[in-house]
């Protein structure tokens, strides 16, 4: 919960805007400001104070305890110009909250955390449990001193400016080791613990066998990603409580799935009880990995039979491929999600001119693999190959990466051995449509006129189908120096079904500094004025030009009886 506190009418206006935007996330604290701050500090994970920073500091000072437990605090000035991350920038999430508040209120986020200020990811913000000298090693990274990265397993980390050797170390390990004086340990969630339990197995016994197994194998409990068992034990109290105490999810599988897993130590007892010859080992191994602790039984001191078993598997890190749409080119049309993925990636793959658009957003240490036009399939293969090595990869494309861009060749190469994330972007058709008016207000279709990958016969059939179906048509890749006849042919096909006065929008370099747009009609359009940087949108039979803008009504009935259509639409 985010506590909201204000002292003046001006602050209350901004406070209420935030409360209205986040009704389920915020709570307004009224009354004397001191009492409100104390109450919110005790009850909320984060605070937004619409107060002067000095006043906020004085109110917070007596309340401060531990930086790992104190809430994050953002301070917004009375004029709503700045959202200052005041307390708990990393641990309390105040840095990100300042950015979100700033975006919502139109305020400039102010973040002074050293790593954030220079674009370095905080070692305590990687989403991994950590131990050791975070401040010391972070300072070394900031000062440009050599910091070695020792990864005992590959994991999709964000870019870190590390060296092969150095007096400081970042070590990625799931082993139960203590950090050195100049070392940070990062704990990857690489261990899966399979658990079998008899009915009524006490949580102490389930936890005991897990802890003993990890300790004897020299493994850290902080790297346990999940407990796994058979469906029949999904509500076994001792197993459920063990997962809760370890702070990990409980994942269950059907007996049929577990019975199909080859294990070194099958048994007749679980086969008779739940229908599979193995629970602990099979549940840990069902999604692959290395069995590092074979099945072991709990040790009881009362001489009674063990009621719990466990096995431990180490799963390899899965690479991550984010296919990112950059939008049509303008920075303010690049989505926040796309920006976050660019900053998360340790490897960026893309067309050289697109890389240049966003190079300033990359974190220091990002490895950039760029190539020129015509190498789309090579870029897709490269991105997938880098992800398979365990890296965090961003493959970029213009517009939306799934529309005439890099998503389809990349996903055709990718299998289920990597994680794939799609990040949508504003397409060229949408950017052009916004400039033209509302040409896409009814059913519409996009067709690429490039026959480099699609035979013209197929393209022509699609154009004819769109013409006969009276769809608004947006033409991508309409004309180049080597392809100058396809657009006239496509327009000729449309002209057989539409009047010469049908509105046509021509937009070049939408959202970029040299953008241009114009509305003409089907009979007047000169294809020679169109190039590969242009998107051509041809209206349907209902599209009209209104005040110089293309408008395609949502329903044809509007044309016949506007009042009736509006009433029907309102329903």
């Amino acid at each position: 919960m985010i506590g909201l506190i204000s002292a003046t009418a001006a602050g209350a206006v901004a406070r209420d805007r935030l409360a209205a935007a986040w009704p389920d996330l915020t709570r307004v604290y009224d009354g004397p400001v001191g009492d409100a701050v104390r109450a919110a500090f005790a009850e909320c994970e984060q605070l937004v104070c619409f107060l002067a920073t000095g006043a906020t500091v004085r109110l917070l000072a007596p309340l401060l305890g531990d930086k790992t437990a104190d809430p994050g605090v953002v301070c917004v000035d009375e004029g709503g110009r700045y959202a200052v991350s005041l307390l708990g920038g990393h641990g309390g999430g105040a840095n990100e909250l300042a950015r979100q508040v700033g975006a919502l209120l139109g305020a400039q986020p102010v973040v002074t955390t050293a790593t954030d200020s220079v674009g370095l990811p905080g070692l305590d913000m990687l989403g991994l449990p950590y131990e050791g000298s975070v401040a010391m090693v972070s300072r070394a990274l900031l000062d440009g001193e050599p910091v070695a990265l020792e990864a005992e397993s590959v994991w999709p980390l964000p870019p870190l400016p590390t060296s092969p050797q150095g007096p400081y170390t970042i070590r990625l390990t799931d082993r139960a080791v203590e950090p050195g004086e100049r070392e940070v340990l990062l704990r990857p969630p690489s261990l899966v613990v399979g658990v079998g339990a008899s009915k009524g197995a006490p949580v102490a016994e389930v936890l005991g066998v897990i802890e003993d197994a990890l300790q004897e194998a020299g493994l850290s409990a902080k790297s346990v990603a999940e407990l796994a068992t058979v469906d029949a034990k999904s509500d076994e109290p001792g197993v459920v409580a063990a997962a809760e105490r370890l702070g990990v999810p409980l994942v269950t599988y059907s007996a049929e799935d577990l019975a199909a897993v080859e294990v070194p130590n099958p048994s007749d007892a679980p086969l008779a009880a739940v229908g599979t010859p193995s629970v602990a080992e099979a549940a840990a191994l069902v999604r692959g990995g290395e069995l590092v602790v074979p099945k072991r039984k709990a040790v009881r001191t009362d001489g009674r039979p063990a009621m719990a078993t466990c096995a431990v598997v180490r799963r390899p890190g899965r690479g991550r491929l984010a296919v990112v749409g950059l939008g049509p080119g303008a920075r303010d049309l690049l989505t926040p999600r796309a920006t976050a993925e660019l900053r998360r990636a340790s490897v960026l793959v893309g067309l050289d001119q697109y890389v240049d658009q966003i190079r300033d957003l990359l974190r220091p240490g990002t490895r950039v693999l760029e190539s020129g036009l015509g190498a789309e399939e090579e870029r897709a293969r490269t991105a997938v190959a880098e992800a398979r090595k365990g890296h965090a990869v961003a493959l970029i494309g213009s517009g939306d990466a799934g529309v005439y861009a890099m998503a389809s060749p990349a996903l055709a190469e990718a299998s289920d051995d990597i994680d794939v994330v799609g990040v949508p972007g504003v397409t060229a058709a949408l950017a052009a449509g916004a400039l033209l008016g509302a040409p896409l207000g009814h059913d519409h279709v996009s067709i690429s006129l490039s026959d480099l990958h699609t035979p013209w016969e197929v393209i022509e059939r699609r154009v004819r189908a769109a013409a006969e179906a009276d769809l608004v048509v947006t033409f991508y890749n309409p004309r180049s120096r080597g392809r100058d006849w396809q657009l006239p042919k496509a327009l000729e096909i449309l002209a057989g079904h539409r009047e010469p006065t049908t509105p046509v929008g021509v937009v070049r370099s939408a959202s970029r500094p040299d953008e241009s747009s114009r509305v003409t009609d089907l009979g007047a359009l000169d294809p020679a004025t169109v190039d590969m940087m242009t998107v051509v949108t041809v209206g349907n039979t209902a599209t009209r030009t209104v005040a110089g803008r293309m408008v395609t009504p949502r329903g044809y009935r509007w044309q016949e009886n506007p009042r009736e259509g509006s009433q029907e639409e309102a329903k």
Side-chain angles (χ1 to χ4, degrees):
M1 186 61 66
I2 304 171
L4 306 180
I5 301 103
S6 64
T8 67
V13 170
R15 177 203 67 191
D16 292 345
R17 284 179 60 194
L18 207 61
W22 297 339
D24 298 329
L25 301 177
T26 57
R27 180 187 303 161
V28 173
Y29 284 79
D30 291 315
V33 173
D35 294 343
V37 168
R38 283 189 290 273
F41 195 91
E43 297 169 358
C44 297
E45 291 81 19
Q46 295 174 318
L47 281 67
V48 179
C49 298
F50 296 86
L51 307 166
T53 53
T56 307
V57 168
R58 292 182 184 279
L59 290 169
L60 291 173
L63 309 176
L64 300 182
D66 189 308
K67 64 179 293 184
T68 62
D70 289 340
V73 179
V74 170
C75 190
V76 180
D77 66 291
E78 294 287 328
R81 295 170 300 172
Y82 304 103
V84 182
S85 174
L86 192 66
L87 180 71
H90 280 175
N95 291 349
E96 181 58 29
L97 180 60
R99 297 185 182 100
Q100 294 173 356
V101 170
L104 185 62
L105 300 180
Q108 175 67 42
V110 179
V111 175
T112 58
T113 306
T115 50
D116 291 60
S117 300
V118 299
L120 289 175
L123 298 179
D124 54 349
M125 293 295 290
L126 300 180
L128 302 177
Y130 58 89
E131 303 170 56
S133 305
V134 170
M136 181 184 295
V137 176
S138 296
R139 176 62 183 268
L141 288 170
L142 290 167
D143 291 344
E145 297 189 48
V147 177
L149 174 62
E150 297 180 2
E152 297 177 6
S153 61
V154 178
W155 209 261
L157 295 173
L160 294 167
T162 54
S163 306
Q165 295 181 334
Y168 303 89
T169 305
I170 300 169
R171 194 187 335 178
L172 184 78
T173 179
D174 58 19
R175 295 187 297 114
V177 294
E178 294 295 322
E181 181 182 356
R182 298 184 172 189
E183 185 174 59
V184 171
L185 300 181
L186 299 178
R187 301 296 192 185
S190 55
L191 304 178
V192 177
V193 178
V195 176
S198 301
K199 184 176 179 59
V203 61
E205 183 171 340
V206 178
L207 281 174
V209 70
I210 294 171
E211 292 166 354
D212 289 346
L214 294 173
Q215 183 177 9
E216 292 183 18
L219 299 172
S220 172
K222 293 181 179 179
S223 280
V224 175
E226 61 189 42
L227 260 59
T229 190
V230 67
D231 284 346
K233 298 298 177 181
S234 63
D235 57 356
E236 183 64 42
V239 176
V240 173
E244 291 175 349
R245 293 193 190 180
L246 290 171
V248 299
L250 177 63
V251 180
T252 64
Y253 302 96
S254 69
E256 181 181 5
D257 288 340
L258 297 186
V261 179
E262 292 188 13
V263 297
N265 300 294
S267 172
D268 292 334
L271 180 61
V274 294
T276 173
S278 172
V279 173
E281 288 181 338
L285 284 168
V286 67
R287 291 173 54 196
E290 172 195 3
L291 184 64
V292 290
V293 179
K295 182 181 75 174
R296 60 178 292 154
K297 296 181 180 181
V299 177
R300 297 188 61 128
T301 58
D302 58 5
R304 300 178 64 183
M307 300 183 72
T309 61
C310 82
V312 183
V313 162
R314 176 184 285 125
R315 289 182 186 163
R318 289 171 61 87
R320 189 175 191 275
L321 173 63
V323 187
V324 181
L326 301 181
R331 179 58 58 85
D332 59 352
L333 293 182
L334 178 69
T335 67
R337 188 179 301 180
T339 300
E341 289 294 346
L342 294 175
R343 295 177 66 78
R344 176 174 180 166
S346 61
V347 180
L348 181 86
V349 182
L351 179 67
D352 47 14
Q353 57 185 284
Y354 298 153
V355 172
D356 290 341
Q357 289 180 20
I358 48 83
R359 197 183 298 271
D360 62 301
L361 296 177
L362 305 179
R363 291 191 187 274
T366 304
R367 185 157 52 96
V368 177
L369 304 176
E370 54 188 310
S371 53
L373 285 169
E376 289 81 6
E377 293 182 357
E378 177 186 346
R379 284 196 291 276
R381 286 193 294 269
T382 297
V384 172
E386 290 292 330
R388 285 189 174 131
K389 295 175 183 177
H391 300 304
V393 182
L395 174 63
I396 59 174
S398 67
D400 183 284
V403 179
Y404 302 123
M406 296 305 302
S408 54
L411 269 61
E413 290 283 336
S415 54
D416 62 359
D417 57 344
I418 61 174
D419 295 325
V420 178
V421 177
V423 182
V426 177
T427 66
L430 295 178
L435 291 172
L436 295 171
L440 308 181
H442 207 303
D443 297 338
H444 55 274
V445 63
S446 295
I447 299 177
S448 171
L449 293 183
S450 173
D451 55 2
L452 296 178
H453 301 287
T454 305
W456 173 253
E457 292 76 13
V458 175
I459 297 173
E460 183 172 342
R461 285 202 305 271
R462 293 171 180 170
V463 175
R464 290 188 184 280
E468 294 171 1
D470 197 29
L471 297 173
V472 176
V473 182
T474 298
F475 289 123
Y476 281 70
N477 306 313
R479 184 176 181 272
S480 68
R481 292 179 181 178
R483 295 185 302 99
D484 59 0
W485 59 269
Q486 287 90 343
L487 179 59
K489 179 63 176 177
L491 295 175
E492 177 186 336
I493 295 171
L494 291 176
H497 297 266
R498 300 177 195 185
E499 296 295 329
T501 55
T502 300
V504 176
V506 181
V507 179
R508 188 179 190 281
S509 299
S511 87
R512 300 184 184 185
D514 59 339
E515 79 173 14
S516 64
S517 65
R518 58 192 172 93
V519 176
T520 180
D521 58 49
L522 190 56
L525 176 61
D526 180 5
T529 63
V530 174
D531 62 13
M532 283 289 286
M533 301 297 292
T534 305
V535 171
V536 178
T537 300
V538 182
N540 65 15
T541 56
T543 304
R544 298 290 182 266
T545 301
V546 181
R549 305 181 186 92
M550 287 181 69
V551 179
T552 302
R554 290 186 62 186
Y556 290 101
R557 285 174 296 177
W558 289 15
Q559 299 283 320
E560 301 167 3
N561 189 336
R563 181 182 300 276
E564 178 182 333
S566 298
Q567 291 174 348
E568 180 67 24
E569 186 66 25
K571 296 178 182 179

